[in-house]
């Protein structure tokens, strides 16, 4: 068990020092220092709260709230390169972590978490 914990720590250190993690940290610092980005994020979060409140009151449907939220998010990204860079960096980092989790899942369970059991979707098992 000690060896497993050791390897988990080693993996954590590798992830922490990865280019993806460095990019996320740099993007986060830039976003926090960008007053215009902070104002846009604040406005976006207020819109989200208002949409949630209006949905709870029954003024708008869930589908409409999701649509409006997505439109507001797209507008946020269009208006702030800083936020867009953070979102992109975070997405790439999350992709790395998900890939690591899928590999661990495969070796622990012997099952590919992406397997649909329809070999036509991937070309067969490994």
């Amino acid at each position: 068990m000690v060896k497993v914990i050791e390897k988990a720590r080693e993996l954590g250190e590798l992830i922490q020092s990865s280019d993806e993690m460095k990019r996320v940290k740099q993007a986060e610092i830039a976003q926090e220092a960008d007053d215009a980005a902070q104002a846009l994020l604040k406005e976006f979060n207020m819109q989200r709260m208002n949409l949630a409140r209006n949905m709870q009151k029954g003024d708008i449907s869930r589908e409409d709230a999701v649509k409006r939220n997505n439109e507001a998010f797209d507008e946020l990204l269009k208006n702030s390169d800083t936020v867009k860079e953070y979102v992109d960096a975070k997405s790439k980092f999350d992709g790395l972590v998900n890939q690591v989790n899928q590999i661990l899942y495969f070796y622990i369970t012997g099952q590919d978490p992406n397997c649909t059991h329809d070999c036509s979707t991937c070309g067969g098992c490994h």
Side-chain angles (χ1 to χ4, degrees):
M1 183 161 131
V2 172
K3 189 171 184 172
V4 171
I5 300 300
E6 242 177 65
K7 292 297 182 181
R9 285 189 179 120
E10 185 179 332
L11 177 60
E13 289 171 359
L14 287 169
I15 291 170
Q16 185 179 33
S17 65
S18 70
D19 289 341
E20 292 83 356
M21 180 66 147
K22 289 175 188 172
R23 184 176 169 209
V24 167
K25 286 182 179 182
Q26 290 171 344
E28 185 175 25
I29 290 167
Q31 180 178 282
E32 288 173 358
D34 184 338
D35 291 337
Q38 290 300 307
L40 288 169
L41 284 165
K42 185 176 180 180
E43 180 182 324
F44 172 72
N45 286 328
M46 286 298 286
Q47 288 175 340
R48 288 183 70 180
M49 288 175 27
N50 288 336
L51 284 171
R53 186 186 66 239
N54 290 341
M55 189 176 68
Q56 286 178 338
K57 290 183 352 186
D59 293 344
I60 60 173
S61 68
R62 182 180 192 286
E63 293 78 20
D64 193 30
V66 168
K67 180 181 176 223
R68 289 183 190 186
N69 181 68
N70 290 342
E71 289 169 353
F73 186 71
D74 290 343
E75 190 69 20
L76 170 66
L77 296 182
K78 188 172 84 172
N79 291 324
S80 177
D81 290 337
T82 307
V83 174
K84 186 176 182 179
E85 168 59 17
Y86 174 76
V87 169
D88 187 55
K90 183 77 167 81
S91 175
K92 297 265 180 0
F93 176 74
D94 290 347
L96 171 65
V97 172
N98 286 336
Q99 209 173 359
V100 168
N101 285 335
Q102 287 177 358
I103 292 167
L104 290 172
Y105 182 84
F106 175 77
Y107 280 95
I108 292 168
T109 66
Q111 298 175 5
D112 184 343
N114 296 315
C115 183
T116 63
H117 300 291
D118 175 4
C119 293
S120 68
T121 64
C122 70
C125 296
H126 333 224

